[in-house]
Amino acid sequence: MSPSSSPWLRRRLPRRGSVAARSALLMTALAAVFVAGCTDEGGTTRSGAAEGKSTASAPLDASFPPSPPATAGCTGKMLDHRDIRHPDLGPVRVFLVRRPASDEPAGCVAAVTGSGRALAPVEVDANWSMKDPLRFAAPATDSTKNLFVIYNPGRYDGVLVLVPTADGFADIGWRSPEEYYSGGRLAFYYARPVGPGRDGEYAIVQYIKGCDPSCAEGATAKVTLRWDGHDYLPTG
């Protein structure tokens, strides 16, 4: 017997022609759906939340400027930006900037917090005659929360790693103020990011050219670097 053919139900269900009765049934059903949607156990949770915590797909709760403010120290043409969630500062927008031809170095990475505070800029050489000489890796961040920027000063790509600190990002550690493409603690010239792997992290593959018997004839070695929590160190 179908539920609708039950004499007991027929006595209790209102007639189809009763508008008030149909409205009452509709309100009852909506109330049931609302209660089910708000339950914390066994039901559907609110969009963008699970166990009271925001998910990775939740939008950043900040309003950012479309280009770096003057206080960011990166004047020029804004090329691209990414919004990230900094582990200490919360929402942060990171900009890639092409500086005017008269300024050196040619590239600049600016960042602004959700409160509008500009972080210290990161300067890097980039050759605009190359294709996409300053761009974000895809994805820009990995499970370490580090942010990866690919740059090309004129021949080979390099990888710039922005490591979050309590005040912003760690100092790249360029070797000299005249050279903004190699020798930095967190900048790897003639290199590329690989991954992210199963652990959610990028590895950095760097090529090191020897100069024996000469730099033109020297062999090239490949080194894989992995994050140890403080630095990218060779593996194997």
Side-chain angles (χ1 to χ4, degrees), residues 104-135:
E104 292 292 341
C108 191
V109 183
V112 180
T113 68
S115 64
R117 180 168 70 91
L119 304 181
V122 177
E123 299 177 313
V124 60
D125 282 327
N127 186 329
W128 306 119
S129 66
M130 311 297 289
K131 182 180 179 181
D132 297 328
L134 190 61
R135 63 192 188 275

Side-chain angles (χ1 to χ4, degrees), residues 6-235:
S6 168
W8 184 87
L9 282 177
R10 285 202 303 269
R11 289 196 301 270
R12 285 159 176 77
L13 287 174
R15 296 177 59 190
R16 292 187 177 182
S18 172
V19 175
R22 290 202 307 272
S23 299
L25 283 175
L26 178 60
M27 294 302 294
T28 301
L30 289 174
V33 171
F34 176 79
V35 171
C38 294
T39 181
D40 289 329
E41 296 180 4
T44 304
T45 58
R46 291 172 293 173
S47 176
E51 299 180 356
K53 298 179 181 179
S54 60
T55 65
S57 60
L60 296 177
D61 48 352
S63 178
F64 293 110
S67 58
T71 53
C74 284
T75 58
K77 179 183 178 182
M78 198 276 287
L79 302 175
D80 201 357
H81 69 74
R82 290 291 184 275
D83 294 342
I84 65 170
R85 190 170 293 279
H86 190 288
D88 295 295
L89 303 178
V92 169
R93 174 165 286 185
V94 181
F95 301 89
L96 302 184
V97 177
R98 174 179 178 172
R99 282 180 157 166
S102 59
D103 292 353
E104 292 292 341
C108 191
V109 183
V112 180
T113 68
S115 64
R117 180 168 70 91
L119 304 181
V122 177
E123 299 177 313
V124 60
D125 282 327
N127 186 329
W128 306 119
S129 66
M130 311 297 289
K131 182 180 179 181
D132 297 328
L134 190 61
R135 63 192 188 275
F136 291 104
T141 60
D142 67 359
S143 60
T144 66
K145 306 303 181 184
N146 296 340
L147 185 144
F148 300 80
V149 175
I150 300 171
Y151 67 96
N152 190 316
R155 187 172 185 181
Y156 301 113
D157 279 345
V159 182
L160 193 70
V161 186
L162 275 65
V163 177
T165 65
D167 295 326
F169 296 102
D171 183 10
I172 295 299
W174 295 115
R175 181 167 51 196
S176 70
E178 293 80 26
E179 191 173 67
Y180 290 88
Y181 76 91
S182 67
R185 169 180 166 252
L186 295 171
F188 306 90
Y189 181 56
Y190 199 2
R192 59 189 175 90
V194 176
R198 291 184 178 180
D199 57 0
E201 297 184 10
Y202 274 119
I204 296 175
V205 173
Q206 186 174 32
Y207 299 89
I208 302 174
K209 191 168 181 59
C211 289
D212 184 20
S214 68
C215 291
E217 301 174 297
T220 300
K222 184 174 77 170
V223 179
T224 299
L225 309 170
R226 296 190 183 277
W227 182 244
D228 73 344
H230 301 280
D231 292 286
Y232 282 90
L233 301 177
T235 60

